[in-house]
Amino acid sequence: MKSPSLFLGQADAANYRAKGFLFPIPVLMQDEQLHYRKMAKNFYHALAPEERRGYAGQSHLSFTWAYNLCTHPNVLDAVELILGPDILVHSTTVFLKPPGNSFVSWHQDATYWGLSAPRLVSAWIALSDSTTDNGCLRVIPGSHLQLREHTEIHNQNNMLTTGSTLKDTMDESLAVDVTLRAGEMSFHHANLVHGSNTNNSSGNRVGFAVRYVSPEVQHERPHHEVVLARGLDQFGYYTHLAAPPRCSFEDGLVRHRQKRQWLSEQRMDGVGESN
Ligand SMILES: O=C(O)CCC(=O)C(=O)O
């Protein structure tokens, strides 16, 4: 698998800046994609049904596989084109959408976090094919250039636990379906309006979303540890994860549950789930 640095260039970066998204970017070889899909599914199924929405975020702080995926060199080579050489992993979410009623409301990510600058890019890594039929990510081109008002609409079927939703209705005829094959990823800007429809297929749609932020960006809401994925952090606005999680899946699950409990006590839950 070629590094994206060999086929992405300044024209792609300019396209991202103009439209607010970029895809498809192939990043995983087939054996890697199969491995990460298996691990993401194991993770999802190890959670109790009532935990699956609220505990889908920040697996990279507790599981070796999730840490390895968000620091994958091919993914980071592409992120570097957008953010430059200094890269922090801000947050992650396993977005496993089974057939049925789950959806993601139209929203912009940055409104929830309170970033000092929108130098944050979300990578959505497809671990299964992501299609119009199974509820792929949908984006509104150019919508990152204007911040819109949001409200919180709580709905058990919304994969966003925060219920973050645009106040205005979106003109869906403008939406682009971000269809991806397993092993490809897309980028979306922190202010891009995006969401997704229900999964009308017979299989799971599996995605791993990673938000990467530049160390110079301050964060208004309290935030859990970040991972210094590449380069330097000369600003010190965030606490860094002390060491990569290196443990069995079972120990990772114990650690993940403890972590989620702690995040919710510190009112840091929802940070990664808001988008
Ligand atoms: O997986 C989805 O359908 C939505 C993902 C999303 O909102 C995000 O990655 O920011």
Side-chain angles (χ1 to χ4, degrees):
M1 172 68 54
K2 277 197 288 192
S3 158
S5 58
L6 298 174
F7 56 83
L8 291 180
Q10 285 314 314
D12 298 294
N15 205 358
Y16 169 84
R17 284 195 296 275
K19 292 192 180 150
F21 63 95
L22 188 65
F23 78 100
I25 309 168
V27 282
L28 301 179
M29 302 211 296
Q30 200 191 4
D31 58 335
E32 294 177 305
Q33 172 259 112
L34 290 173
H35 166 71
Y36 288 121
R37 175 161 70 226
K38 185 172 130 213
M39 298 314 284
K41 280 184 167 178
N42 287 351
F43 166 67
Y44 180 84
H45 291 295
L47 297 175
E50 64 277 9
E51 290 176 326
R52 286 179 187 156
R53 267 173 91 233
Y55 279 21
Q58 317 331 333
S59 55
H60 67 295
L61 299 179
S62 302
F63 292 93
T64 307
W65 68 270
Y67 181 94
N68 289 346
L69 182 51
C70 69
T71 56
H72 192 291
N74 285 349
V75 177
L76 295 178
D77 284 351
V79 173
E80 193 165 335
L81 180 75
I82 305 296
L83 289 187
D86 301 324
I87 303 172
L88 302 175
V89 177
H90 171 275
S91 53
T92 65
T93 306
V94 173
F95 279 112
L96 190 152
K97 188 191 282 183
N101 298 327
S102 298
F103 70 98
V104 172
S105 50
W106 289 113
H107 66 288
Q108 292 169 304
D109 295 335
T111 42
Y112 184 79
W113 294 314
L115 305 176
S116 59
R119 284 178 56 76
L120 178 147
V121 59
S122 287
W124 199 98
I125 306 171
L127 300 178
S128 68
D129 290 348
S130 190
T131 64
T132 303
D133 197 35
N134 71 14
C136 64
L137 183 67
R138 307 184 81 212
V139 297
I140 307 290
S143 56
H144 61 305
L145 300 174
Q146 184 198 341
L147 281 176
R148 293 160 201 256
E149 277 196 70
H150 285 64
T151 182
E152 290 189 0
I153 302 177
H154 292 281
N155 178 328
Q156 273 306 309
N157 291 323
N158 190 348
M159 294 174 85
L160 304 187
T161 46
T162 55
S164 184
T165 307
L166 285 190
K167 270 196 178 160
D168 294 336
T169 46
M170 267 331 295
D171 176 356
E172 302 223 0
S173 70
L174 301 175
V176 170
D177 282 0
V178 180
T179 56
L180 297 170
R181 298 214 316 222
E184 295 177 339
M185 73 172 178
S186 59
F187 280 162
H188 61 270
H189 184 281
N191 289 337
L192 190 73
V193 174
H194 63 286
S196 66
N197 289 332
T198 55
N199 178 352
N200 301 322
S201 77
S202 55
N204 294 321
R205 188 219 64 174
V206 190
F208 187 71
V210 191
R211 294 131 215 136
Y212 297 96
V213 70
S214 170
E216 73 194 41
V217 176
Q218 282 174 279
H219 202 281
E220 202 174 282
R221 289 181 68 95
H223 197 62
H224 51 74
E225 300 101 311
V226 297
V227 171
L228 179 60
R230 203 167 259 190
L232 296 171
D233 177 354
Q234 292 174 316
F235 295 86
Y237 295 139
Y238 300 87
T239 306
H240 290 204
L241 187 67
R246 295 279 171 243
C247 56
S248 67
F249 184 86
E250 290 67 30
D251 289 347
L253 194 60
V254 173
R255 177 171 157 153
H256 181 69
R257 285 206 168 97
Q258 285 167 347
K259 189 91 193 165
R260 294 299 326 197
Q261 181 62 33
W262 185 82
L263 292 181
S264 115
E265 282 159 19
Q266 305 303 309
R267 304 185 63 78
M268 292 189 207
D269 55 334
V271 170
E273 285 70 45
S274 64
N275 54 75

